[in-house]
Amino acid sequence: MSRPPGRKQEYHKISRELFVLTYGALVAQLCKDYEKDEDVNTCLDRMGYGIGVRLIDDFLARSSVKKCRSYSETADVIAQVAFKMYLGVTPSVSCSSAAGNEFSLILDKNPLVDFVEELPAERASLCYCNLLCGVIRGALEMVHLAAEVTFLQDRLKGDAVTEIGITFLRKAEDRKHKRN
Protein backbone atom coordinates (compact mmCIF):
# COMPACT_ATOMS: atom_id res chain seq x y z
CA MET A 1 0.00 0.00 0.00
CA SER A 2 1.21 3.46 -0.71
CA ARG A 3 0.68 6.64 1.21
CA PRO A 4 -0.34 9.88 -0.41
CA PRO A 5 2.65 12.23 -0.71
CA GLY A 6 3.13 14.69 2.11
CA ARG A 7 1.27 12.61 4.66
CA LYS A 8 3.14 11.55 7.80
CA GLN A 9 3.23 7.93 8.78
CA GLU A 10 1.11 7.29 11.85
CA TYR A 11 2.45 5.21 14.69
CA HIS A 12 -0.13 3.13 16.44
CA LYS A 13 0.44 2.71 20.13
CA ILE A 14 -1.08 -0.08 22.13
CA SER A 15 -2.10 0.25 25.71
CA ARG A 16 0.81 -0.35 28.08
CA GLU A 17 -1.42 -2.52 30.26
CA LEU A 18 -2.33 -4.69 27.26
CA PHE A 19 1.34 -5.08 26.36
CA VAL A 20 2.32 -6.00 29.93
CA LEU A 21 -0.51 -8.54 30.21
CA THR A 22 0.37 -10.04 26.82
CA TYR A 23 4.01 -10.31 27.87
CA GLY A 24 2.96 -12.05 31.08
CA ALA A 25 0.88 -14.53 29.07
CA LEU A 26 3.89 -15.18 26.81
CA VAL A 27 6.16 -15.91 29.79
CA ALA A 28 3.49 -18.12 31.37
CA GLN A 29 3.17 -20.13 28.14
CA LEU A 30 6.95 -20.52 27.87
CA CYS A 31 7.01 -21.79 31.45
CA LYS A 32 4.45 -24.43 30.44
CA ASP A 33 6.42 -25.34 27.31
CA TYR A 34 9.82 -25.63 28.99
CA GLU A 35 10.61 -27.43 32.21
CA LYS A 36 13.89 -25.64 32.94
CA ASP A 37 14.07 -21.94 33.73
CA GLU A 38 17.32 -21.71 31.75
CA ASP A 39 15.45 -22.78 28.61
CA VAL A 40 12.78 -20.11 29.20
CA ASN A 41 15.50 -17.52 29.81
CA THR A 42 17.27 -18.51 26.59
CA CYS A 43 14.03 -18.37 24.61
CA LEU A 44 13.17 -14.90 25.99
CA ASP A 45 16.68 -13.68 25.18
CA ARG A 46 16.43 -15.03 21.62
CA MET A 47 13.02 -13.40 21.12
CA GLY A 48 14.33 -10.11 22.49
CA TYR A 49 17.37 -10.28 20.24
CA GLY A 50 15.11 -10.61 17.20
CA ILE A 51 13.05 -7.65 18.38
CA GLY A 52 16.17 -5.54 19.01
CA VAL A 53 17.56 -6.28 15.55
CA ARG A 54 14.35 -4.90 14.02
CA LEU A 55 13.63 -2.18 16.58
CA ILE A 56 16.88 -0.30 16.02
CA ASP A 57 15.68 1.02 12.65
CA ASP A 58 12.53 2.43 14.25
CA PHE A 59 14.56 3.88 17.11
CA LEU A 60 17.08 5.61 14.84
CA ALA A 61 14.31 6.99 12.62
CA ARG A 62 12.15 8.31 15.44
CA SER A 63 14.77 9.50 17.93
CA SER A 64 17.12 11.44 15.62
CA VAL A 65 20.07 10.65 17.90
CA LYS A 66 23.55 11.23 16.55
CA LYS A 67 26.35 8.68 16.49
CA CYS A 68 27.61 8.00 20.01
CA ARG A 69 31.29 8.66 20.57
CA SER A 70 31.78 6.59 23.71
CA TYR A 71 30.34 3.65 25.60
CA SER A 72 29.07 5.98 28.32
CA GLU A 73 27.22 8.08 25.75
CA THR A 74 25.70 4.90 24.33
CA ALA A 75 24.54 3.76 27.77
CA ASP A 76 23.00 7.21 28.37
CA VAL A 77 21.10 7.07 25.07
CA ILE A 78 19.78 3.60 25.92
CA ALA A 79 18.56 4.81 29.31
CA GLN A 80 17.37 8.33 28.59
CA VAL A 81 16.00 7.91 25.08
CA ALA A 82 15.26 4.25 24.26
CA PHE A 83 13.81 3.15 27.60
CA LYS A 84 11.77 6.36 27.82
CA MET A 85 10.53 5.97 24.24
CA TYR A 86 9.50 2.32 24.43
CA LEU A 87 8.79 1.63 28.11
CA GLY A 88 8.05 5.06 29.53
CA VAL A 89 10.73 4.85 32.22
CA THR A 90 14.23 6.31 32.56
CA PRO A 91 16.71 4.10 34.38
CA SER A 92 19.75 5.61 36.02
CA VAL A 93 23.15 4.70 34.57
CA SER A 94 26.26 3.85 36.51
CA CYS A 95 29.67 2.86 35.20
CA SER A 96 31.10 -0.10 37.06
CA SER A 97 34.55 -0.52 35.52
CA ALA A 98 37.74 1.47 35.29
CA ALA A 99 37.98 0.57 31.61
CA GLY A 100 34.66 2.33 31.00
CA ASN A 101 33.04 -0.57 29.18
CA GLU A 102 30.71 -1.90 31.91
CA PHE A 103 27.50 -0.11 32.81
CA SER A 104 24.42 -0.77 34.88
CA LEU A 105 20.93 0.41 34.07
CA ILE A 106 19.06 0.68 37.36
CA LEU A 107 15.28 0.63 37.13
CA ASP A 108 13.40 1.81 40.19
CA LYS A 109 10.21 0.73 38.43
CA ASN A 110 10.04 -1.99 35.79
CA PRO A 111 6.83 -1.64 33.75
CA LEU A 112 6.97 -5.26 32.55
CA VAL A 113 6.25 -6.50 36.07
CA ASP A 114 3.30 -4.23 36.88
CA PHE A 115 0.98 -7.21 37.36
CA VAL A 116 3.51 -9.66 38.83
CA GLU A 117 3.97 -9.82 42.58
CA GLU A 118 6.61 -12.54 42.87
CA LEU A 119 7.96 -15.55 41.04
CA PRO A 120 6.72 -18.97 42.12
CA ALA A 121 9.19 -20.85 44.34
CA GLU A 122 9.71 -23.51 41.66
CA ARG A 123 10.74 -20.79 39.18
CA ALA A 124 13.42 -19.15 41.31
CA SER A 125 16.00 -19.01 38.49
CA LEU A 126 13.56 -17.58 35.94
CA CYS A 127 14.68 -14.24 34.55
CA TYR A 128 11.16 -12.91 33.87
CA CYS A 129 12.26 -9.84 31.89
CA ASN A 130 15.13 -11.49 30.00
CA LEU A 131 13.51 -10.24 26.80
CA LEU A 132 14.94 -6.79 27.62
CA CYS A 133 18.49 -8.16 27.64
CA GLY A 134 17.99 -9.65 24.20
CA VAL A 135 16.47 -6.43 22.84
CA ILE A 136 19.42 -4.35 24.05
CA ARG A 137 21.98 -6.88 22.77
CA GLY A 138 20.28 -7.17 19.35
CA ALA A 139 19.96 -3.41 18.88
CA LEU A 140 23.58 -2.81 19.90
CA GLU A 141 24.81 -5.50 17.56
CA MET A 142 23.03 -3.83 14.65
CA VAL A 143 25.03 -0.65 15.30
CA HIS A 144 28.23 -2.71 15.44
CA LEU A 145 28.62 -2.86 19.21
CA ALA A 146 29.05 -6.35 20.64
CA ALA A 147 27.79 -6.52 24.21
CA GLU A 148 26.93 -8.95 26.96
CA VAL A 149 23.67 -7.98 28.64
CA THR A 150 22.43 -9.67 31.82
CA PHE A 151 20.22 -9.09 34.81
CA LEU A 152 22.31 -8.36 37.90
CA GLN A 153 19.43 -7.67 40.30
CA ASP A 154 15.71 -8.27 40.02
CA ARG A 155 12.89 -7.00 42.24
CA LEU A 156 10.97 -10.18 41.50
CA LYS A 157 13.76 -12.06 43.26
CA GLY A 158 13.71 -9.84 46.33
CA ASP A 159 16.32 -7.26 45.33
CA ALA A 160 15.75 -3.57 46.06
CA VAL A 161 15.94 -2.56 42.38
CA THR A 162 16.07 -4.09 38.94
CA GLU A 163 19.57 -3.79 37.48
CA ILE A 164 20.63 -4.68 33.95
CA GLY A 165 24.36 -5.01 33.32
CA ILE A 166 25.83 -4.10 29.94
CA THR A 167 29.41 -5.05 29.16
CA PHE A 168 30.67 -3.77 25.82
CA LEU A 169 32.97 -6.49 24.49
CA ARG A 170 34.63 -4.76 21.60
CA LYS A 171 33.79 -2.34 18.90
CA ALA A 172 33.03 -4.30 15.76
CA GLU A 173 35.33 -3.31 12.95
CA ASP A 174 33.87 -1.96 9.77
CA ARG A 175 35.25 -4.04 6.98
CA LYS A 176 35.85 -2.60 3.58
CA HIS A 177 35.37 -5.04 0.78
CA LYS A 178 37.25 -4.62 -2.45
CA ARG A 179 35.70 -5.60 -5.72
CA ASN A 180 37.75 -7.94 -7.82
Side-chain angles (χ1 to χ4, degrees):
M1 293 181 9
S2 64
R3 282 189 307 259
R7 192 167 168 202
K8 274 183 115 178
Q9 182 177 358
E10 296 178 23
Y11 291 100
H12 299 285
K13 292 186 178 186
I14 64 168
S15 161
R16 186 170 107 175
E17 290 82 16
L18 176 62
F19 173 71
V20 171
L21 288 170
T22 304
Y23 181 73
L26 168 72
V27 175
Q29 185 61 49
L30 289 174
C31 287
K32 289 179 185 175
D33 292 346
Y34 297 101
E35 290 180 23
K36 296 180 184 175
D37 290 344
E38 294 77 23
D39 294 338
V40 176
N41 295 341
T42 300
C43 188
L44 287 170
D45 183 72
R46 248 184 299 129
M47 289 174 151
Y49 178 84
I51 292 169
V53 164
R54 289 165 184 78
L55 194 65
I56 190 67
D57 288 331
D58 178 69
F59 172 75
L60 292 172
R62 290 177 54 200
S63 69
S64 68
V65 296
K66 305 290 184 216
K67 183 177 180 178
C68 296
R69 301 193 191 295
S70 66
Y71 290 141
S72 64
E73 190 177 337
T74 302
D76 286 339
V77 167
I78 292 169
Q80 296 171 5
V81 182
F83 266 79
K84 183 71 173 171
M85 183 184 293
Y86 293 107
L87 293 176
V89 296
T90 305
S92 58
V93 179
S94 68
C95 182
S96 56
S97 75
N101 69 327
E102 293 180 27
F103 296 87
S104 289
L105 303 177
I106 301 166
L107 292 147
D108 293 325
K109 184 174 180 346
N110 182 350
L112 289 182
V113 299
D114 280 352
F115 302 112
V116 180
E117 291 182 20
E118 63 183 26
L119 294 175
E122 66 273 7
R123 292 291 185 176
S125 61
L126 176 66
C127 210
Y128 183 83
C129 296
N130 212 36
L131 184 94
L132 292 176
C133 293
V135 170
I136 294 168
R137 190 171 52 84
L140 287 172
E141 198 168 293
M142 293 308 293
V143 292
H144 306 290
L145 291 171
E148 182 180 298
V149 185
T150 58
F151 270 91
L152 303 176
Q153 294 185 71
D154 193 346
R155 277 195 172 183
L156 290 179
K157 295 182 179 180
D159 296 318
V161 294
T162 299
E163 181 179 2
I164 301 172
I166 302 173
T167 302
F168 292 99
L169 303 174
R170 61 178 163 39
K171 196 167 191 175
E173 300 163 13
D174 292 337
R175 295 182 182 143
K176 295 183 181 179
H177 299 284
K178 293 183 180 180
R179 289 188 178 180
N180 292 334

